[in-house]
Amino acid sequence: MASNKKYWKSVEELNENSSIVEKLQKSEFLEDLPTDKFLGDKETLEASDTSRRDFLKYVGFSTAVASLAACEGPVVNSIPYVVKPDDLIPGISDYYATSIADGYDFANILVKVREGRPIKIEPNQDSKVGATNARVQASVLSLYDNNRLRGPLSKGEETDYATLDKEVMSHLNDAKAKGLKVVLLTGTKASPSLNKLVGEFGASVGNFEHVVYDAISEDAALNAFEKMYGVRALADYNFDHADVIVSVGADFLGEWQGGSFSASYAKGRKPKNGKMSRHIQFESNMTLTGGNADKRVIVKPSEQLQVMSKLYEAIVNGKSAGTGSPVDAAVSAAVAQIKKAGSKAVVVTGIQDENAQLLALAINAAIQSKVMDIENYRNVRQGNSAKVHQLIKDMNAGSVGAVIIADSNPAYTLANANAFAEALSKVALTINFTSSLDQTAALSSYVVAKPHFLESWGDVEMSRGSYSLIQPTIQPLFKTRQLEDSLLKWMGSEANTYDYIKNNWESSILGGMSWNKTVQSGTFSTSAESVVTANEVDVSAASAALSKVAGAALELSVYAKTGLGDGQQANNPWLQELPDPITRTSWDNYLLVSRIDAESLGLTNRTVDNGALNGDLVNITADGVSLSDVPVYIQPGQAVGSVAIAVGYGRTDLKKDMNVGINAYPLSSGVFQSVSIEKVAGEHKFACVQLHHTIMGREGEITKETTLADFVSKPKEEWNQAPVFSLNHQEVTQEKVDLWEKFDDSLGTKFNLSIDLGTCTGCAACVVACGAENNVPVVGKHEIRVSRDMHWLRIDRYYSSDMTVEQGKEDGSFGSGDFFKAQGEPSDAPDVSFQPVMCQHCNHAPCETVCPVAATSHGRQGQNQMAYNRCIGTRYCANNCPYRVRRFNWFKYANNNEFDFNMNNELGRMVLNPDVVVRSRGVMEKCSFCIQKTQLTILNAKKEGRPVADGEFASACSSACPTGALVFGDVNDTKSEVAHLSEDDRSFKLLDFVGTKPNVFYQLKVKNTTEA
């Protein structure tokens, strides 16, 4: 039978008498548009009460059109090349294969370059680690960050590299003469060439040590793997081989151990031949991974440790997990499924505790898991916390003569950052390689402006035997210099980074293969004999230690958000404005609290009448560290007795609008900490889009899902019902009752987009990619708060609960206390669904019929098109759109100090795509199916005298999707993938009963709820 779930975006929607929700459902635009605001400035606007309707009534439509002509974009005169470079063709893009390896994100990518400017990141589909996330997609904008250092500094003053080199070499010689240690402190580089160079540099300076430090450490997992297998690395996981996945606190679809697992995970989530993987998640915070799980078990952080112990004892030693609590029952069920799946099961954990990591490795070894790969181990995390703590001791003791810091900001990210800063002040020579004057750079004697990775040469071995090259895609914008060039200079070598890497690869890696071809492809793989051997480890002692862990009344954990990650790209406005996939909030971090804990502490969130969210403030104290005025966000699905806060915010070295949030790194020590919370006066205003763009109040009709059992055993009509209508007292399908005249679109190309809700993880890579491709402006926190976000693509996050009156009657609980509890508090443990929504490109588009100037019209290829210079901003189209996907330019966002982001400075505007117009104020804009990309594909095929092949058509979102959930193509090509997907039994169209006949369709989500 069809799902009877109730879907909701916000807790406010559970209030049946909410006037706010009713207002939002009826009104696309919550504020009138005064003409003087539209034509004038913000100051005039705030005092204005003249409505657009009144303006048109008094001055007449023709006068209004003349006035609104002032909204036209300015004319920019371009100067042609005097002498055009031979290798550059204006209007034609070049693509370069390179890699990002910034210490937190690692991926093989292609970089789109126009007229010498990198403007877009694409995944390198031919590589093993070719998937991109939101941060990788946004990293191109960091190249044009106006906050970047322009050159080297000496004691805070500008200098030149000749002077800096002379002084540094003098200090290094002095340290060597005194027998003092020289320390290189870096983030994870995983670079074979740099590792070789560091060894040579260390030999030249004598007493030397290389310390690796990661802001978000995987120290526990590294220690456990080294203890068990003799190599300081991380196991790899091929989730496509898994029948059963049990995760204990591991957000492997998000930030866990360097990420890049979503592609393999998605392969097992499609119900092929009636089979798909079963995913069980034990966690405290609501994560991307938990939201995608078939079964999510809510536990406190301390209980996660006990879960790991019980899993180990039951699977390896055959002991019972117990039946004393719902958690015990969930563990027993998970154990039964692991045993049934055998080697096709896997257990992973994100607990930063060495004992917990040992148990996970031991469980997988015991079941001989084919999912865990210990031979091709991952190198994307190499930090060693013990060595960092020892470095602080050594600096305090006066035994360190020089510290060289690169790609690391410990004065901001260390839990004991103050102790590090104090110790660093006792070192004679401190050098920092950084792109901005961050907290650590401000404490350093010398600062070297490092180039962006798109301006650099480098290499990386992300996993054993998988090598990647990093090549520059643009000449350095500023007076920057790489760490490698500096080390070579300081050890007296005349070589440069490029020569050094090339020589190392030709002599040690390539084995006779072509260097030039490798640079072109970007990656190179080798195979070698096993170097991993299992060691004897007392895992039972680790299990015993975990079983004795005592929890606290209220426990704190820290996490990384999808947007900012570890915070090194905090000055990137694309990431700051990206709504968090779970909370749907941007421009902030906050304390996540459960509903029950919020009620006991007297904390509330309040939705105001324009749809914006406000919340209380608290002071929190843990392990002697206090943070003041922390905003509270009441999170559905948060474990009772636990709170959480994201790191990566609160940097003070950024542009004014980017200095948001609170630095939570001081609270990042330990697995979990006992925390006390005190409510304080004040109110925080969130930039939260949870209630924006509510779709006609039809919660139960928006998204669809079913169970694997129903999908296999029941007919499609029960779990994917098509809408029917009454015609002549008979129920007929939509094709037989239509208010529109059908036009022939069977000839030529017709674009469709398929979105698989079963494999969409909500990662938001597509949102950033869409903005980058289509010059979507950043509007800032205030505009987001008042429903004026400009994203062409959004990912709606719906919560749902099974308990309805019908369900209660079916299971016999109706009228009981259990029924009313489940119905009254569905926010305590909701299911989660993600649904990307963009312009649906309706064949019967409601927007087209109401536009008075035909600014929006239907193209023969199925695209709903916008003529921006024709649009006069009536907004009728948006009010008539049932999908709420059209965006209105309330202001001019480029060259406007009110929106001081990348479009407001010459450097930031270098990222703009010249194939897409920058829209001026007063027009509607929305998804175009990336018409500039589709037309280029058609043109290229035409020039080559061939038809377009299946897979050639791509939109920005479909290209960026790491799981392949978005498939774009020509539905008139009956052999195309999108044509086959349109006929799939899981296919449905959003609000299809409205009769709009979209060219976007969805594959409903299937969840494997079958217990062992």
Side-chain angles (χ1 to χ4, degrees):
M1 61 182 295
S3 171
N4 60 359
K5 284 187 172 184
K6 175 179 174 62
Y7 295 90
W8 40 284
K9 289 184 181 180
S10 161
V11 175
E12 183 71 23
E13 294 182 57
L14 299 177
N15 180 0
E16 294 183 359
N17 300 317
S18 174
S19 61
I20 297 171
V21 173
E22 182 180 359
K23 177 180 178 181
L24 293 172
Q25 290 174 351
K26 293 180 178 179
S27 180
E28 164 70 2
F29 297 101
L30 300 171
E31 299 180 15
D32 289 330
L33 178 62
T35 304
D36 33 353
K37 176 176 183 177
F38 189 65
L39 300 177
D41 55 28
K42 285 190 171 182
E43 288 72 15
T44 307
L45 173 85
E46 290 179 359
S48 170
D49 59 2
T50 303
S51 70
R52 180 181 179 82
R53 182 185 297 274
D54 291 338
F55 179 82
L56 294 179
K57 180 170 64 177
Y58 285 116
V59 302
F61 185 78
S62 60
T63 308
V65 173
S67 299
L68 292 172
C71 300
E72 291 182 1
V75 175
V76 178
N77 295 317
S78 300
I79 301 175
Y81 290 104
V82 177
V83 179
K84 184 182 74 66
D86 292 336
D87 58 349
L88 189 150
I89 303 175
I92 302 298
S93 300
D94 293 316
Y95 287 86
Y96 294 87
T98 187
S99 302
I100 180 173
D102 63 6
Y104 190 72
D105 290 305
F106 293 79
N108 301 132
I109 58 176
L110 300 178
V111 183
K112 180 181 179 181
V113 178
R114 281 293 297 270
E115 285 78 60
R117 298 177 296 113
I119 62 171
K120 182 71 173 60
I121 300 293
E122 301 285 1
N124 187 344
Q125 305 286 9
D126 295 331
S127 69
K128 180 181 178 182
V129 193
T132 59
N133 58 31
R135 293 180 304 279
V136 174
Q137 285 287 332
S139 63
V140 66
L141 183 57
S142 295
L143 170 65
Y144 306 114
D145 185 354
N146 221 16
N147 205 46
R148 286 182 60 189
L149 288 173
R150 266 53 173 180
L153 303 175
S154 174
K155 297 178 176 62
E157 302 294 329
E158 292 183 4
T159 187
D160 57 74
Y161 283 112
T163 303
L164 184 147
D165 290 337
K166 181 179 179 180
E167 295 177 3
V168 166
M169 294 172 72
S170 175
H171 280 292
L172 289 174
N173 290 331
D174 186 53
K176 183 176 182 179
K178 294 178 179 178
L180 297 175
K181 184 185 293 186
V182 175
V183 177
L184 174 63
L185 177 65
T186 71
T188 294
K189 304 293 286 187
S191 168
S193 296
L194 179 61
N195 288 341
K196 179 183 178 183
L197 176 58
V198 167
E200 295 171 355
F201 177 77
S204 71
V205 299
N207 190 1
F208 175 82
E209 184 180 17
H210 181 198
V211 178
V212 180
Y213 162 67
D214 294 325
I216 298 178
S217 176
E218 291 291 347
D219 200 56
L222 291 164
N223 290 342
F225 193 87
E226 184 176 25
K227 184 176 289 187
M228 187 163 284
Y229 296 110
V231 180
R232 189 170 179 79
L234 299 171
D236 199 3
Y237 295 91
N238 301 304
F239 288 107
D240 52 330
H241 297 167
D243 286 347
V244 173
I245 303 167
V246 177
S247 167
V248 184
D251 185 16
F252 58 82
L253 297 181
E255 313 309 308
W256 181 69
Q257 296 189 1
S260 298
F261 296 111
S262 56
S264 64
Y265 172 81
K267 291 178 182 178
R269 301 299 294 171
K270 295 182 179 181
K272 294 181 180 178
N273 302 319
K275 293 184 178 181
M276 62 183 292
S277 63
R278 164 83 165 154
H279 174 195
I280 304 168
Q281 184 84 4
F282 294 84
E283 66 179 14
S284 306
N285 308 339
M286 177 70 81
T287 65
L288 271 182
T289 309
N292 284 278
D294 296 308
K295 183 178 181 60
R296 180 174 181 267
V297 184
I298 304 174
V299 293
K300 292 171 63 174
S302 59
E303 291 174 329
Q304 292 182 26
L305 297 168
Q306 297 165 9
V307 167
M308 283 304 304
S309 176
K310 291 177 180 179
L311 285 172
Y312 171 79
E313 295 295 340
I315 295 170
V316 178
N317 296 329
K319 296 182 180 179
S320 171
T323 57
S325 69
V327 175
D328 290 342
V331 172
S332 297
V335 168
Q337 290 171 86
I338 292 171
K339 289 183 176 179
K340 182 179 180 180
S343 62
K344 291 188 176 182
V346 67
V347 176
V348 295
T349 181
I351 304 171
Q352 292 304 314
D353 180 277
E354 186 175 324
N355 290 330
Q357 296 292 338
L358 281 171
L359 294 189
L361 294 174
I363 291 170
N364 292 327
I367 64 176
Q368 298 181 330
S369 174
K370 295 180 180 179
V371 182
M372 185 176 76
D373 184 354
I374 60 173
E375 296 293 340
N376 300 303
Y377 50 77
R378 290 158 60 92
N379 299 314
V380 294
R381 295 289 184 270
Q382 297 178 341
N384 192 321
S385 299
K387 288 188 175 182
V388 176
H389 294 317
Q390 185 60 47
L391 171 61
I392 294 175
K393 293 179 181 179
D394 292 344
M395 290 191 294
N396 282 323
S399 60
V400 177
V403 176
I404 305 169
I405 303 172
D407 295 319
S408 184
N409 186 11
Y412 162 68
T413 58
L414 268 175
N416 57 338
N418 291 336
F420 177 87
E422 183 179 351
L424 190 68
S425 66
K426 300 176 182 178
V427 179
L429 175 62
T430 52
I431 311 167
N432 195 291
F433 287 79
T434 181
S435 59
S436 66
L437 195 61
D438 58 31
Q439 287 83 347
T440 307
L443 301 173
S444 303
S445 307
Y446 300 95
V447 178
V448 178
K450 74 165 188 177
H452 190 268
F453 79 92
L454 294 177
E455 303 170 310
S456 308
W457 280 101
D459 61 358
V460 60
E461 185 183 11
M462 298 181 196
S463 60
R464 180 171 175 258
S466 294
Y467 297 91
S468 308
L469 280 169
I470 302 170
Q471 66 167 319
T473 59
I474 187 175
Q475 289 291 330
L477 298 175
F478 307 117
K479 297 177 182 178
T480 54
R481 193 166 73 176
Q482 292 186 231
L483 171 65
E484 293 88 341
D485 282 323
S486 296
L487 295 181
L488 287 165
K489 184 74 176 179
W490 296 340
M491 58 188 282
S493 173
E494 296 298 323
N496 58 35
T497 302
Y498 170 79
D499 293 334
Y500 190 91
I501 293 173
K502 181 181 179 181
N503 291 337
N504 183 47
W505 274 59
E506 290 181 334
S507 62
S508 305
I509 298 174
L510 289 176
M513 297 295 290
S514 167
W515 163 257
N516 288 338
K517 288 185 177 180
T518 306
V519 172
Q520 185 179 26
S521 64
T523 62
F524 181 78
S525 297
T526 63
S527 58
E529 295 182 2
S530 173
V531 296
V532 176
T533 56
N535 299 321
E536 291 291 332
V537 180
D538 188 0
V539 184
S540 296
S543 177
L546 293 187
S547 66
K548 298 175 183 177
V549 171
L554 193 60
E555 301 172 1
L556 169 75
S557 58
V558 299
Y559 70 102
K561 288 179 67 174
T562 297
L564 288 199
D566 64 351
Q568 62 177 292
Q569 288 196 73
N571 208 55
N572 190 315
W574 288 351
L575 295 177
Q576 287 281 9
E577 189 144 303
L578 178 68
D580 182 80
I582 300 295
T583 67
R584 307 297 293 134
T585 300
S586 58
W587 294 99
D588 260 323
N589 65 339
Y590 28 75
L591 189 70
L592 298 176
V593 182
S594 71
R595 176 195 62 84
I596 293 174
D597 288 329
E599 289 180 357
S600 67
L601 294 167
L603 305 173
T604 61
N605 286 159
R606 298 165 293 281
T607 304
V608 295
D609 64 356
N610 66 352
L613 186 73
N614 296 344
D616 290 330
L617 299 173
V618 295
N619 294 339
I620 59 177
T621 303
D623 197 24
V625 178
S626 297
L627 297 181
S628 301
D629 297 328
V630 181
V632 169
Y633 185 97
I634 301 174
Q635 173 62 55
Q638 180 74 21
V640 178
S642 73
V643 295
I645 187 169
V647 295
Y649 289 81
R651 282 180 58 180
T652 57
D653 58 306
L654 311 178
K655 290 176 61 177
K656 180 182 177 182
D657 289 336
M658 305 294 178
N659 288 329
V660 296
I662 294 170
N663 182 13
Y665 274 113
L667 299 174
S668 62
S669 62
V671 178
F672 68 90
Q673 302 172 64
S674 175
V675 62
S676 61
I677 296 177
E678 175 192 11
K679 182 179 178 180
V680 296
E683 183 176 63
H684 184 77
K685 296 181 178 180
F686 291 100
C688 184
V689 298
Q690 64 178 358
L691 279 181
H692 299 183
H693 317 304
T694 299
I695 302 181
M696 298 176 68
R698 298 189 173 101
E699 297 92 345
E701 305 285 353
I702 296 173
T703 186
K704 292 185 180 183
E705 65 180 67
T706 189
T707 65
L708 181 62
D710 285 353
F711 176 77
V712 172
S713 63
K714 295 182 179 179
K716 170 190 173 183
E717 290 72 23
E718 289 198 30
W719 48 264
N720 189 12
Q721 296 174 341
V724 292
F725 302 86
S726 178
L727 179 65
N728 297 327
H729 306 289
Q730 293 183 345
E731 289 189 342
V732 297
T733 57
Q734 195 177 61
E735 287 72 21
K736 296 182 180 181
V737 51
D738 204 331
L739 297 176
W740 296 66
E741 292 184 8
K742 182 175 176 59
F743 53 88
D744 186 9
D745 54 12
S746 60
L747 298 177
T749 301
K750 182 180 180 182
F751 294 114
N752 269 203
L753 175 64
S754 170
I755 304 175
D756 192 338
L757 301 184
T759 55
C760 171
T761 64
C763 72
C766 56
V767 177
V768 178
C770 173
E773 173 69 28
N774 295 293
N775 300 334
V776 175
V778 174
V779 299
K781 181 175 181 178
H782 174 266
E783 299 299 297
I784 292 286
R785 176 173 166 80
V786 296
S787 309
R788 296 177 185 160
D789 57 303
M790 294 300 296
H791 290 121
W792 286 9
L793 187 164
R794 70 179 191 266
I795 301 181
D796 287 339
R797 180 268 299 125
Y798 290 102
Y799 297 130
S800 62
S801 54
D802 277 319
M803 190 49 66
T804 62
V805 173
E806 293 79 6
Q807 180 70 19
K809 289 179 178 179
E810 186 175 315
D811 63 22
S813 67
F814 179 66
S816 69
D818 290 340
F819 169 77
F820 288 110
K821 182 179 179 181
Q823 189 183 49
E825 302 299 347
S827 63
D828 291 342
D831 289 336
V832 179
S833 298
F834 298 103
Q835 185 176 45
V837 181
M838 66 292 289
C839 175
Q840 303 291 290
H841 295 274
C842 308
N843 290 301
H844 296 169
C847 57
E848 296 170 12
T849 59
V850 295
C851 181
V853 292
T856 181
S857 59
H858 204 69
R860 189 174 184 86
Q861 295 175 337
Q863 291 149 318
N864 174 253
Q865 300 172 342
M866 279 296 304
Y868 295 126
N869 60 347
R870 182 180 293 172
C871 176
I872 61 172
T874 64
R875 303 185 295 166
Y876 299 159
C877 57
N879 281 314
N880 216 38
C881 174
Y883 306 104
R884 299 296 186 253
V885 290
R886 303 177 76 87
R887 302 288 176 262
F888 181 65
N889 292 76
W890 290 82
F891 300 102
K892 176 186 175 185
Y893 300 112
N895 297 310
N896 186 343
N897 289 334
E898 293 286 347
F899 304 97
D900 192 15
F901 307 111
N902 63 293
M903 287 190 184
N904 195 47
N905 61 80
E906 292 183 0
L907 185 62
R909 286 194 296 273
M910 288 178 70
V911 82
L912 295 178
N913 183 358
D915 293 333
V916 180
V917 65
V918 176
R919 286 75 59 189
S920 190
R921 65 178 177 177
V923 303
M924 301 298 304
E925 59 179 82
K926 50 96 203 170
C927 164
S928 68
F929 267 172
C930 292
I931 191 170
Q932 70 281 0
K933 291 172 66 70
T934 58
Q935 295 309 110
L936 179 62
T937 302
I938 293 171
L939 178 62
N940 288 338
K942 184 177 180 179
K943 287 164 60 177
E944 295 171 13
R946 60 173 179 81
V948 177
D950 184 32
E952 277 194 88
F953 286 122
S955 57
C957 55
S958 66
S959 295
C961 182
T963 65
L966 282 75
V967 176
F968 182 75
D970 179 8
V971 75
N972 282 345
D973 178 3
T974 56
K975 297 181 180 180
S976 68
E977 184 180 1
V978 75
H980 290 303
L981 289 171
S982 69
E983 301 297 327
D984 191 89
D985 284 348
R986 288 198 293 137
S987 175
F988 74 96
K989 294 186 177 180
L990 184 57
L991 302 181
D992 48 2
F993 52 85
V994 177
T996 54
K997 294 192 176 181
N999 283 321
V1000 176
F1001 59 90
Y1002 296 83
Q1003 311 293 316
L1004 63 73
K1005 185 172 186 175
V1006 178
K1007 299 189 76 168
N1008 187 354
T1009 58
T1010 306
E1011 301 282 350

